[in-house]
Structure formats: C-alpha cells, structure tokens
Amino acid sequence: MRALDKLSPEECQRLIVADNVRYFGSKAANVTEFVLQRWDLEEWSRGGPVAITPPNVLKENGHALRTPVDGIHFAGTETSEYWTGYMEGAIRSGVRVAKEILRAKI
Ligand SMILES: Cc1cc2nc3c(=O)[nH]c(=O)nc-3n(C[C@H](O)[C@H](O)[C@H](O)COP(=O)(O)OP(=O)(O)OC[C@H]3O[C@@H](n4cnc5c(N)ncnc54)[C@H](O)[C@@H]3O)c2cc1C
C-alpha cells in the first residue's frame, strides 16, 4: 500500500483491477464504480486495523465498555469479550446486545 500511495488514483485503479482480473477472471475488468480508500493515510488509524490497549486494560476495565446505561446498550467490536477489534468481535457484540435488549423487554 505504501508503494501505491505514491501513485495517482487512476494508476492505483489500473493496478488493482489488473490484480482482480488475475484472481477472479476477465469479468472483473468490467468495473462500474471504483472507490479508493487509502487506510494507511487515515489520520487516526494510520492503517492500523484494530485499536490496541496496554496489557490488563481490557481485563480490568473492559466490562465498563459493555455496561448498559439508562437503557442504552453498547455494541461494537471494542465491546466484545473475544476477538476484540475484529469482525468476529463486532458480530459477537451485536448478538450480545440483541440478547440484552430482548431480555430487558421480557
Ligand atoms: C484497514 C482495516 C483492515 C481490517 N481488516 C480486518 C480483517 O482482515 N479481519 C477482521 O476480522 N477485521 C478487520 N478489520 C476490523 C474490522 O473492520 C472491524 O473490527 C469491524 O468493522 C468493526 O465493526 P463495528 O460494527 O464494531 O464498527 P464499524 O464497522 O466501525 O461500524 C460503526 C458504524 O457506526 C457509524 N457511526 C459512528 N458514529 C456514528 C454516529 N454518531 N451516528 C451514527 N452512526 C455512527 C460509522 O459510520 C460506522 O458505519 C479491519 C479494519 C480496518 C480499518
């Protein structure tokens, strides 16, 4: 990605579409819309795929991220007890909050 960052959006598109054609076949050349997101140039994440905390922060304080407050329930990968920061954690947190809300309604 750092190499691509030096190229124009048009040049990136050409190279990425060529890769997709190599992986998925000639139909992948029929691009109707192309959005280029340069994650590594994002101001806050700088390309990092997950938020990290020092050791013990989540173990000691993680429960505070998922404690409902006045009927507001908190989902999102950072609130997950497992696979924090990843898609799996996001889905797990959604399932947890759905259950919390259903329990609260019963
Ligand atoms: C570059 C990159 C690569 C990654 N690669 C992987 C990978 O290979 N595998 C993997 O498992 N995970 C990967 N991840 C992590 C994964 O994308 C996240 O863990 C997951 O998307 C988190 O889902 P979420 O629903 O918790 O939050 P998000 O997907 O961030 O969703 C939160 C949503 O809330 C919206 N929102 C924010 N504030 C408000 C507001 N005030 N009102 C209304 N809406 C609001 C946002 O616009 C966003 O749509 C990657 C992440 C990045 C950035």
Side-chain angles (χ1 to χ4, degrees):
M1 197 59 220
R2 289 198 178 108
L4 290 184
D5 282 339
K6 297 183 185 118
L7 304 179
S8 68
E10 293 74 22
E11 186 65 4
C12 283
Q13 178 170 351
R14 192 185 65 71
L15 291 171
I16 291 166
V17 170
D19 263 358
N20 284 343
V21 167
R22 191 154 54 90
Y23 298 137
F24 304 114
S26 58
K27 282 187 179 170
N30 303 328
V31 177
T32 53
E33 190 179 342
F34 185 91
V35 177
L36 179 64
Q37 174 73 33
R38 299 185 195 254
W39 288 107
D40 55 328
L41 301 184
E42 287 278 301
E43 183 179 4
W44 303 113
S45 72
R46 302 175 77 184
V50 298
I52 54 166
T53 57
N56 273 332
V57 169
L58 288 179
K59 183 167 162 266
E60 300 296 327
N61 306 297
H63 62 91
L65 295 175
R66 44 186 174 265
T67 305
V69 178
D70 292 339
I72 300 172
H73 295 257
F74 298 96
T77 190
E78 285 78 15
T79 71
S80 185
E81 292 178 68
Y82 196 63
W83 278 112
T84 308
Y86 294 87
M87 286 305 303
E88 178 74 20
I91 292 165
R92 282 169 175 268
S93 76
V95 170
R96 173 184 48 78
V97 164
K99 285 180 181 166
E100 282 174 11
I101 292 169
L102 286 173
R103 262 198 309 273
K105 284 191 175 225
I106 295 171

